[in-house]
Amino acid sequence: MNTILTDIVKIPVDDPIAFTFFTGYMAMLASSVFFFFERGSVDGKWKLSLLVSGLITGIAAVHYYYMRDYYLATGQTPTALRYIDWTLTVPLMCVEFYLLTKSAGAQKSLLWKLIFAAVLMLVAGYIGEAFTDGSSGHSFMWGAISTIGYVYILYTAWFGEVAQLAKNSGDPVVERGVKTLAWFVFVGWAVYPIGYMCMPGGWLNTSLGWSASNVDLFYNIADAINKIGFGLVVYGIAVSSKK
Ligand SMILES: *C/C=C(C)/C=C/C=C(C)/C=C/C1=C(C)CCCC1(C)C
């Protein structure tokens, strides 16, 4: 058998990481089709939100296509591709918070603060991960800078402007939906820093001996839940909120 065929056969049989790259790709692609089509059936004020949901899973689908190939060809973690994906999709998730609270008075400044925090989080995380010398000093410093961005988004979604605006929107569907998204940021997004801390030099790696050999498995599952789940919550708001 040629190598491409053996790789394809390998996917579902004996490599769970390859399997989640493959199913992750299909799930993201299918979700985009769903959000793009459903965009046509929701109230006008939510159309942009659904478009953004479809873009998030669509951008991820393209990255998964390449990440799966990279993984199959090298057996390595596709760090750069992952961070390019996140640097495009996480700011778009912040755009969702802005769009959901816009009719309650969200300002452009909120959007830019969230995007800035997301970019800070991801650029620092990339430096911490890709340029590691294996030392805990490097891992800790860049991880800490990254966490500032994460905590800012978390705080804004739970207690800050986003939470306040959702509460003042006068629409319980929006308020509940934004709260659900805040849970995604708290629980679903926490998988990533935990994975980071399992890498060489990371705190869980050096103190507890946790290793990141399966990190792609967790990232792939987390990505599917976070990106598709996020989009579905937005869709839920769009179909059941006040007209
Ligand atoms: C769809 C992709 C998502 C929602 C990615 C989220 C990524 C994070 C929340 C990453 C956070 C990190 C830290 C808080 C510190 C260590 C470095 C990172 C980048 C893994």
Side-chain angles (χ1 to χ4, degrees), residues 54 63 72 94 122 132 143 145 180:
H63 283 84
L72 286 178
C94 295
L122 296 167
T132 179
I145 295 173
T180 309

Side-chain angles (χ1 to χ4, degrees), residues 10-178:
K10 207 171 83 179
I11 292 170
V13 177
D14 56 23
D15 189 338
I17 296 178
F19 177 78
T20 55
F21 272 119
F22 191 81
T23 46
Y25 166 58
M26 287 315 301
M28 298 285 187
L29 185 67
S31 304
S32 289
V33 173
F34 177 79
F35 294 133
F36 288 146
F37 272 89
E38 286 303 308
R39 185 187 165 277
S41 67
V42 301
D43 189 66
K45 75 171 182 175
W46 299 120
K47 285 196 192 303
L48 196 50
S49 304
L50 260 83
L51 178 68
V52 173
S53 292
L55 288 176
I56 291 167
T57 50
I59 291 168
V62 175
H63 283 84
Y64 267 79
Y65 181 83
Y66 288 106
M67 288 198 289
R68 185 202 55 165
D69 279 358
Y70 182 97
Y71 175 79
L72 286 178
T74 66
Q76 306 282 313
T77 297
T79 306
L81 285 165
R82 234 188 236 294
Y83 273 88
I84 298 169
D85 173 339
W86 292 352
T87 308
L88 296 168
T89 52
V90 177
L92 285 173
M93 295 167 111
C94 295
V95 171
E96 297 279 34
F97 278 123
Y98 167 73
L99 291 174
L100 291 172
T101 50
K102 202 171 154 209
S103 55
Q107 306 282 317
K108 280 266 162 56
S109 62
L110 169 67
L111 176 64
W112 290 115
K113 283 184 279 185
L114 288 173
I115 290 177
F116 179 80
V119 172
L120 174 74
M121 172 177 94
L122 296 167
V123 170
Y126 184 69
I127 297 172
E129 219 177 289
F131 302 110
T132 179
D133 53 5
S135 74
S136 47
H138 176 92
S139 173
F140 181 82
M141 182 177 81
W142 292 104
I145 295 173
S146 174
T147 302
I148 296 170
Y150 177 49
V151 169
Y152 182 80
I153 299 172
L154 194 59
Y155 177 84
T156 307
W158 276 88
F159 311 106
E161 262 177 275
V162 167
Q164 299 294 334
L165 287 164
K167 199 178 287 166
N168 297 338
S169 67
D171 188 338
V173 173
V174 171
E175 195 181 340
R176 229 178 313 117
V178 167

